[in-house]
Amino acid sequence: MLNSYQAGMQWDASFDLGLRQQVGDRSVWMFNHRIEPSPNQDPSYRLAQFDLLNEIILYYQFDLVVSVGEQALNIALALQDEGILQAPIVAAGADLSAYMGPRERRITGIHEQLAIRENLLLIRQLIPDLEAVHLLIDDQPGSEHIRKAFIQLADQLAIPYTLWQEQDYEEVKAKTSLLSANEAILLGVLQQAPTGKTQLTEQRVQSLSMVSRAPMYSLWEYAVGNGAVGGFVTQPKPLGEAIGNMVLKVLLGTDVRDVAINARGPQTYLFDSTQLNRWKVSRANLATGSEYLNQQAYQSWSQRYQTSLMMTGLSLFAGLLLFALWRAYGRARANLLQQKKQLSSVFSQTEQACALLDENGHVLLINQALMDLLGDRAGFIIGNSLLDSHIWEHQSALKQQLREGIAKSLSGDAVHFQAEFDQGKHSILYDFAMSPQLDHSNRVEQVVLEMRNLALIQQQHRQLKQSETHYRLLFEQSPALLMLVNRLGVIVCCNKVAAKHLGYPRKQLELSQLRSLYGEAEQQTTLLEYLDTVGKHKVTRQIAYRNSKNQQLWFKESFVRMAEEDVFMLVCEDVTATRSLAEELDFHANFDLLTGIYNRGFFERRLELLLGSSQDNQLHALLFIDLAQFKVINDTFGHGSGDQALKQVAGVLEQLLPRSAIVARLGSDEFAILLEACSQQDSLDFANRVIDRLNDSHYVRDERMFSFGCSIGLTLFQQQQGSAQELIAQADNACFTAKSLGRNRVYLYQMDDQMLLERQGQMEWVTRIQQALREERFLLYAQAIVPVTANDDDYLHYEVLLRMIDEAGRIVPPGAFLPAAENYNLADQIDKVVIAKSLQWLAENPGHLTRLNMCSMNLSGQSLGSAEFVEWLLNTLENSALPMNKLCFETTETVAIANLDIATEFFNKVRQLGCKIALDDFGSGLSSFGYLKNLPIDYLKIDGIFIRDLENDHMDAAIVKSINQMAHVMGKKTIAEFVENDGINQILSEIGVDYAQGYHFGKPVPIEMLVLN
């Protein structure tokens, strides 16, 4: 049972008793969860409650959920929508009008229909001379429905009314004390709902009833018996019994959708005998079958004097005739006395100090507030001058001002002034008003003196000034650039940070045009149109400014319109460094840092784009170039000379390129050239020219000269023919053959030589893989992923790896069989084996699962692109009882960006279930931070090529630092691969990388050993 109903503990206990009486003897186990209201509508509090219920429901797997209250119903429905809650819902205390009649959703219950009409009719019946009904409600969402229904029904029944909403409890008490017996108060607020800042508990209802001069009625049962006369209400125990009957039907096999939703719960007329006696309400006027509380305290007048009435009935009948004649006279007199009493009550109870003076200025009457002000000797002032009081002894100026004011008011003028009144330790500002009261001859008969305490207004004024000072200080000291801009784009004011950051004097910035600071002409001309689109919600963009030195600065500019003003708050955050870093990393993603030509990632993307082109099938050529003398230069003169040689070779190749060709550095001494729309003979001629030119180019050092020999592998292709990786592999194989035949030559790749031999070997692996899949000869291994800096021995995070057992029982590493599996569409089947076995193993080891922080599993590009596999994976995860937030799926950067749209959609679906996403081998493939910005991932695994030599290569350290910094800016965690010693780990710690993986922390081990460890 999820209970968010705010009727108090006694109501909850009665409802629970009724429910348990119906289902308690049927061996039904009940779990009661109370949902407390969110403090200050805090979204994090609601999310925490939702996550807690998520865990409870997944753990217990309930057969049925009873929801009590609107918030409980909304949470239960949300859990149904998320697929977390599979059980049906039986609801009470909530609006179920949307589910009346045939329905698809598995829900039934009792619709909460407050009896507003019945209670209004009851009030009108019991108060014949009804003057008004005052509805007391709070500002909670459910009260809006009560307010609208009350107004509609009151208008229909022609009943005068007022609404008491969002008012403080003490203010409500003051109002009730001024009502008459011909008015009524209708309580529309629940016990735990706030009135102002105070909850309307049973004790406060009693206190309200004690001071009220009008009877109170209630829409809720809890107030009856605690001060309310009564009402047509729903009692919790019968409601619990009715819900219990519905629960039994569903648990005994009836489809919840076949159980009709009751339009109204069990309701009855409930009255407090004590209050009936207080307000002289006869039971003869009440409905038959009404229920009564506090019966012992009530004995009607007729019951007490039943015998005497029977004996004197005839005498009284005769007396009534005489009474009717006397009543006509007495009614008019009573009305005058009542009005005088009400006026006297208002005069006495008002919080303002008041006095009534006669035509001579002597005091006729003072109220309680003035008596408190005058002190113990207040009684002696009656009949004397107010100025005779001792309180004016040390306030001669105020006393003289009062004397002049009274004299002026006695002459017929109204007087009004403010003055400080000394009250011992401090002075308080009072507002003095003297109003002359004229008789029928327009002569001053009396003077009303009022003294109003302005201390609260003074305090509010001080608080307002203090608040203004705080906001001004916040505005000035904020580290962000803050400006106020009017609808014409003029800077009304700015803080010191803005002036200092832009390099202008503050006075020069203020009252200048904002667009004059923009660095682009288009933004300058469209500023006013942009401001027209800004509403009360924040609008953000990135835009270039120019400072006083004409330097370009990039800002994250956020506008929000100030309430009910044509002024905008502008908040600027300097993102110049972030953009520069992004541009730098984007350069790293496309260009080789050493030579300045394209890198492997850009080359592969350009190749894939050409393969996917829809143009007519033209012949293109790919040249794979391997230098012959590079290792000699490197070993002889060191890496610095080797770098110079590579730059020289890159310059030679760029000079040879035709207009449509590109050159890239693929690796250490490997280059590639892409020739578009080129015949076989032209490609061979160009390759031979490259060989000749490199042979004629020399690297000279210390009077020693080296020529650049090379071997070139050439492959020809057309659109839609293979992938970039396959073409590079073909050219690489051809280059290897060229080197084996003696170097300084070109070898053309042919499908019928080396490729056939390689394919034959892979086909043998395909057969062995298929047999291993049938015989389930695969083992799970795992390698630890640890925090770089945190010394937390309990952190458990690993990547699941795979090994195959061959026909002889030997362990086969993945590098032997995975390439064949990927080339021949078996990778998705292997991925299924890894995921299924991993989930099963985790479910069978709950102790290990409790300790586990994250389990990562790999997905191939084939799996990612298979709709069937994705559907299988999502169904498997949805049907699993494992906590999804402990599962992570890895895929390589190349695979993700090559299938960007598919990958993005898949990542979003898996993350909605709670799983995490890691992007593997980042930095070596299609690195583009433009893509990364939009990919919904959680972890970024930095490729090992940047990690292995981190201690010796400062360029690798710079790249790792850039990748880590950008990942953190984007809110993603980083993992470094191939960490082989503590020195590398120390560097990673200094850079700020989050996690590390490699032999330094442990080699892959069978996953079962994780339990032993």
Side-chain angles (χ1 to χ4, degrees):
M1 179 166 68
L2 304 180
N3 187 354
S4 65
Y5 211 59
Q6 300 182 19
M9 296 177 61
Q10 185 175 348
W11 193 98
D12 292 346
S14 298
F15 178 88
D16 189 64
L17 177 62
L19 178 62
R20 291 181 184 274
Q21 283 182 349
Q22 296 302 112
V23 301
D25 57 348
R26 302 297 184 103
S27 299
V28 176
W29 179 76
M30 293 179 61
F31 183 93
N32 197 330
H33 182 80
R34 177 73 191 176
I35 300 174
E36 298 299 338
S38 170
N40 301 322
Q41 302 297 320
D42 185 0
S44 62
Y45 180 84
R46 294 196 301 269
L47 182 60
Q49 280 205 342
F50 187 86
D51 290 341
L52 174 61
L53 285 172
N54 183 355
E55 296 289 340
I56 292 173
I57 288 173
L58 288 176
Y59 183 81
Y60 287 110
Q61 297 294 314
F62 296 104
D63 297 298
L64 185 141
V65 170
V66 174
S67 72
V68 187
E70 288 286 352
Q71 186 181 0
L73 175 61
N74 292 335
I75 291 178
L77 294 175
L79 290 169
Q80 268 193 350
D81 293 337
E82 292 288 337
I84 298 167
L85 177 60
Q86 305 294 330
I89 300 171
V90 178
D95 184 2
L96 299 180
S97 57
Y99 308 106
M100 298 290 189
R103 56 194 178 276
E104 291 296 326
R105 189 180 283 278
R106 302 180 66 204
I107 185 173
T108 189
I110 297 176
H111 173 67
E112 183 174 64
Q113 179 68 44
L114 294 178
I116 299 177
R117 174 184 289 274
E118 289 81 355
N119 280 285
L120 285 176
L121 292 173
L122 174 66
I123 293 171
R124 190 169 69 177
Q125 176 185 346
L126 298 183
I127 307 177
D129 299 326
L130 181 64
E131 295 177 2
V133 175
H134 307 280
L135 176 65
L136 177 60
I137 54 175
D138 57 17
D139 58 353
Q140 299 299 309
S143 297
E144 182 63 17
H145 170 70
I146 298 176
R147 186 184 69 82
K148 290 181 179 179
F150 173 83
I151 292 173
Q152 181 180 2
L153 290 169
D155 289 340
Q156 291 177 2
L157 299 173
I159 296 177
Y161 65 87
T162 61
L163 298 177
W164 291 355
Q165 188 173 11
E166 301 182 18
Q167 298 191 8
D168 186 78
Y169 173 73
E170 294 299 330
E171 185 179 355
V172 172
K173 284 183 66 175
K175 284 188 174 184
T176 58
S177 67
L178 301 178
L179 301 179
S180 70
N182 289 332
E183 297 176 88
I185 303 168
L186 181 58
L187 299 180
V189 61
L190 273 171
Q191 176 178 351
Q192 295 180 359
T195 298
K197 297 182 179 179
T198 307
Q199 289 186 344
L200 198 61
T201 60
E202 295 170 351
Q203 292 77 12
R204 290 194 172 94
V205 174
Q206 293 173 2
S207 176
L208 199 62
S209 173
M210 290 174 64
V211 302
S212 176
R213 294 177 178 272
M216 294 194 304
Y217 295 83
S218 178
L219 298 175
W220 310 96
E221 176 263 351
Y222 83 96
V224 183
N226 292 293
V229 176
F232 192 63
V233 298
T234 299
Q235 292 184 278
K237 187 172 181 291
L239 179 61
E241 293 172 350
I243 290 294
N245 288 330
M246 290 184 168
V247 169
L248 283 180
K249 287 182 182 180
V250 177
L251 292 180
L252 292 175
T254 304
D255 191 320
V256 69
R257 289 165 290 198
D258 294 335
V259 179
I261 295 177
N262 290 352
R264 174 172 285 189
Q267 294 177 318
T268 185
Y269 284 103
L270 182 65
F271 296 98
D272 184 345
S273 299
T274 303
Q275 293 298 322
L276 290 174
N277 186 35
R278 174 188 175 186
W279 299 104
K280 299 179 177 57
V281 177
S282 172
R283 291 198 184 190
N285 295 330
L286 304 181
T288 304
S290 299
E291 298 185 15
Y292 300 92
L293 302 176
N294 300 326
Q295 294 241 46
Q296 293 179 351
Y298 177 84
Q299 189 178 20
S300 68
W301 187 86
S302 60
Q303 290 173 329
R304 292 199 302 269
Y305 301 103
Q306 183 176 6
T307 304
S308 299
L309 284 172
M310 293 176 62
M311 296 176 62
T312 60
L314 293 176
S315 299
L316 285 176
F317 178 75
L320 286 174
L321 294 177
L322 296 175
F323 174 74
L325 297 175
W326 173 83
R327 187 179 180 187
Y329 165 76
R331 184 177 297 162
R333 184 171 180 274
N335 287 339
L336 291 175
L337 291 174
Q338 180 68 20
Q339 291 175 4
K340 183 177 179 181
K341 182 179 179 181
Q342 291 175 354
L343 182 60
S344 176
S345 174
V346 172
F347 182 82
S348 300
Q349 298 299 325
T350 181
E351 295 181 356
Q352 295 181 186
C354 297
L356 188 64
L357 311 181
D358 63 13
E359 68 276 8
N360 297 315
H362 294 164
V363 177
L364 293 174
L365 183 66
I366 60 175
N367 70 346
Q368 185 62 46
L370 185 55
M371 294 176 86
D372 295 339
L373 196 61
L374 294 176
D376 297 337
R377 299 166 61 185
F380 297 102
I381 209 68
I382 303 296
N384 297 308
S385 172
L386 181 65
L387 300 176
D388 293 339
S389 172
H390 69 284
I391 65 174
W392 317 110
E393 291 178 358
H394 304 292
Q395 304 183 75
S396 57
L398 177 57
K399 185 175 182 180
Q400 180 61 29
Q401 200 171 2
L402 273 174
R403 179 179 288 109
E404 294 174 356
I406 293 173
K408 194 173 182 180
S409 62
L410 289 173
S411 65
D413 296 330
V415 178
H416 181 269
F417 63 89
Q418 292 182 354
E420 292 283 345
F421 179 59
D422 188 4
Q423 286 188 282
K425 296 182 180 180
H426 53 275
S427 295
I428 297 177
L429 183 66
Y430 270 83
D431 183 85
F432 293 85
M434 284 160 272
S435 304
Q437 307 296 309
L438 306 179
D439 61 11
H440 62 279
S441 302
N442 287 331
R443 290 183 300 180
V444 176
E445 184 179 27
Q446 294 174 336
V447 173
V448 177
L449 169 65
E450 297 176 84
M451 297 173 58
R452 183 184 177 196
N453 188 333
L454 300 181
L456 181 60
I457 297 177
Q458 277 185 307
Q459 182 183 0
Q460 291 174 345
H461 181 68
R462 286 194 298 268
Q463 290 174 345
L464 184 62
K465 290 189 67 175
Q466 187 179 22
S467 179
E468 181 182 355
T469 303
H470 289 168
Y471 280 114
R472 173 59 64 179
L473 184 63
L474 180 64
F475 182 81
E476 291 296 343
Q477 300 300 325
S478 171
L481 282 71
L482 301 179
M483 306 182 200
L484 290 180
V485 180
N486 66 16
R487 61 185 181 85
L488 299 178
V490 177
I491 301 173
V492 178
C493 66
C494 66
N495 65 354
K496 295 178 182 178
V497 176
K500 182 178 179 180
H501 205 82
L502 293 171
Y504 291 101
R506 190 169 180 178
K507 291 184 178 180
Q508 182 179 345
L509 271 183
E510 292 177 347
L511 300 182
S512 65
Q513 285 285 343
L514 175 64
R515 62 171 177 262
S516 65
L517 301 176
Y518 287 168
E520 299 177 5
E522 181 182 355
Q523 302 296 345
Q524 293 177 358
T525 57
T526 59
L527 173 62
L528 297 185
E529 297 178 9
Y530 181 72
L531 290 178
D532 287 339
T533 65
V534 178
K536 294 182 180 179
H537 300 289
K538 183 172 69 173
V539 177
T540 302
R541 64 177 178 177
Q542 287 195 5
I543 190 170
Y545 279 58
R546 291 282 178 185
N547 64 9
S548 60
K549 299 179 181 179
N550 203 31
Q551 296 171 332
Q552 187 180 65
L553 300 176
W554 280 92
F555 288 98
K556 180 181 178 183
E557 187 185 71
S558 299
F559 277 102
V560 63
R561 186 186 294 270
M562 305 293 284
E564 299 180 359
E565 295 184 33
D566 284 337
V567 178
F568 304 87
M569 171 65 79
L570 170 60
V571 181
C572 291
E573 177 187 354
D574 192 338
V575 294
T576 307
T578 305
R579 283 184 66 93
S580 299
L581 180 60
E583 291 172 358
E584 179 183 349
L585 291 175
D586 195 54
F587 178 84
H588 291 172
N590 294 301
F591 292 91
D592 180 58
L593 299 180
L594 176 64
T595 62
I597 62 176
Y598 292 119
N599 61 11
R600 184 186 189 99
F602 181 86
F603 189 83
E604 288 183 351
R605 289 196 295 276
R606 183 70 185 93
L607 194 54
E608 289 285 3
L609 187 64
L610 193 60
L611 287 170
S613 173
S614 60
Q615 298 177 358
D616 295 336
N617 283 337
Q618 293 179 311
L619 194 63
H620 311 288
L622 190 156
L623 283 69
F624 192 100
I625 304 170
D626 183 83
L627 300 181
Q629 296 295 325
F630 175 72
K631 190 175 187 307
V632 176
I633 298 172
N634 227 15
D635 293 344
T636 303
F637 301 108
H639 291 291
S641 296
D643 291 346
Q644 291 297 325
L646 290 175
K647 293 179 181 179
Q648 186 176 339
V649 170
V652 171
L653 295 178
E654 281 191 301
Q655 293 176 359
L656 285 173
L657 286 182
R659 177 172 298 179
S660 61
I662 63 170
V663 62
R665 182 186 174 209
L666 301 185
S668 176
D669 60 347
E670 297 172 343
F671 295 82
I673 295 176
L674 181 61
L675 301 175
E676 297 185 25
C678 188
S679 67
Q680 177 176 319
Q681 188 58 48
D682 291 340
S683 303
L684 290 170
D685 292 343
F686 177 78
N688 284 311
R689 286 200 303 274
V690 170
I691 293 174
D692 293 340
R693 180 64 66 87
L694 289 178
N695 279 329
D696 293 339
S697 302
H698 301 86
Y699 178 75
V700 180
R701 173 75 184 272
D702 297 340
E703 298 181 355
R704 300 179 64 181
M705 184 171 64
F706 297 87
S707 62
F708 295 111
C710 71
S711 301
I712 299 179
L714 173 63
T715 184
L716 303 173
F717 64 95
Q718 294 176 316
Q719 281 86 353
Q720 312 297 330
Q721 183 178 331
S723 65
Q725 289 83 0
E726 290 173 349
L727 292 177
I728 293 175
Q730 292 173 6
D732 190 8
N733 290 335
C735 182
F736 180 81
T737 303
K739 288 192 292 184
S740 65
L741 293 176
R743 295 188 178 277
N744 285 332
R745 66 178 64 228
V746 181
Y747 189 86
L748 179 64
Y749 176 83
Q750 300 289 339
M751 291 288 293
D752 56 355
D753 50 20
Q754 184 64 28
M755 185 64 179
L756 291 177
L757 295 175
E758 183 180 350
R759 178 175 295 181
Q760 182 178 355
Q762 289 195 351
M763 284 297 294
E764 293 175 0
W765 270 113
V766 168
T767 304
R768 297 175 66 184
I769 293 171
Q770 290 173 336
Q771 185 175 355
L773 286 169
R774 290 193 297 270
E775 297 173 1
E776 298 184 357
R777 286 190 281 105
F778 287 95
L779 294 177
L780 296 182
Y781 272 56
Q783 187 177 27
I785 298 174
V786 301
V788 171
T789 56
N791 188 16
D792 187 357
D793 295 336
D794 292 331
Y795 185 84
L796 184 56
H797 183 179
Y798 51 81
E799 178 182 358
V800 176
L801 306 172
L802 189 65
R803 302 290 186 268
M804 190 177 87
I805 305 174
D806 68 7
E807 297 81 355
R810 296 184 295 258
I811 301 296
V812 181
F817 61 88
L818 282 183
E822 291 175 350
N823 288 336
Y824 291 93
N825 300 324
L826 294 175
D828 60 338
Q829 298 182 42
I830 292 178
D831 287 349
K832 282 187 179 180
V833 170
V834 174
I835 294 170
K837 290 174 72 70
S838 299
L839 298 183
Q840 180 182 354
W841 188 82
L842 290 173
E844 292 172 352
N845 292 274
H848 173 79
L849 181 62
T850 302
R851 290 186 53 239
L852 178 65
N853 293 91
M854 190 66 63
C855 172
S856 296
M857 294 166 280
N858 287 284
L859 292 177
S860 64
Q862 181 184 341
S863 298
L864 204 61
S866 169
E868 180 184 354
F869 177 89
V870 171
E871 182 181 0
W872 172 84
L873 177 59
L874 294 176
N875 288 336
T876 300
L877 294 176
E878 289 173 353
N879 293 328
S880 173
L882 296 175
M884 295 293 106
N885 60 347
K886 295 190 176 187
L887 303 181
C888 178
F889 293 96
E890 294 186 14
T891 189
T892 65
E893 172 200 21
T894 304
V895 167
I897 299 179
N899 306 275
L900 185 61
D901 293 337
I902 296 174
T904 301
E905 182 182 359
F906 170 78
F907 292 167
N908 283 326
K909 289 181 179 178
V910 172
R911 293 181 85 224
Q912 286 174 3
L913 296 176
C915 302
K916 307 295 183 184
I917 297 295
L919 196 62
D920 201 2
D921 296 340
F922 186 82
S924 65
L926 304 173
S927 305
S928 172
F929 286 93
Y931 291 124
L932 179 62
K933 180 180 179 182
N934 299 315
L935 274 175
I937 64 172
D938 304 281
Y939 297 98
L940 202 64
K941 299 190 75 172
I942 305 172
D943 194 274
I945 63 172
F946 302 119
I947 307 299
R948 286 194 183 98
D949 200 26
L950 198 59
E951 293 176 286
N952 305 314
D953 194 329
H954 295 298
M955 189 176 298
D956 284 346
I959 292 173
V960 172
K961 184 176 181 180
S962 298
I963 293 174
N964 182 70
Q965 185 174 358
M966 181 54 69
H968 285 174
V969 169
M970 295 180 180
K972 309 176 193 309
K973 298 288 186 181
T974 51
I975 302 173
E977 301 176 298
F978 294 94
V979 179
E980 298 178 353
N981 57 58
D982 187 66
I984 295 176
N985 193 56
Q986 289 298 323
I987 296 174
L988 293 175
S989 176
E990 294 171 1
I991 292 174
V993 174
D994 300 298
Y995 303 98
Q997 179 181 6
Y999 282 5
H1000 176 59
F1001 305 104
K1003 296 182 179 181
V1005 297
I1007 198 168
E1008 289 79 10
M1009 292 190 65
L1010 296 176
V1011 176
L1012 299 178
N1013 291 336

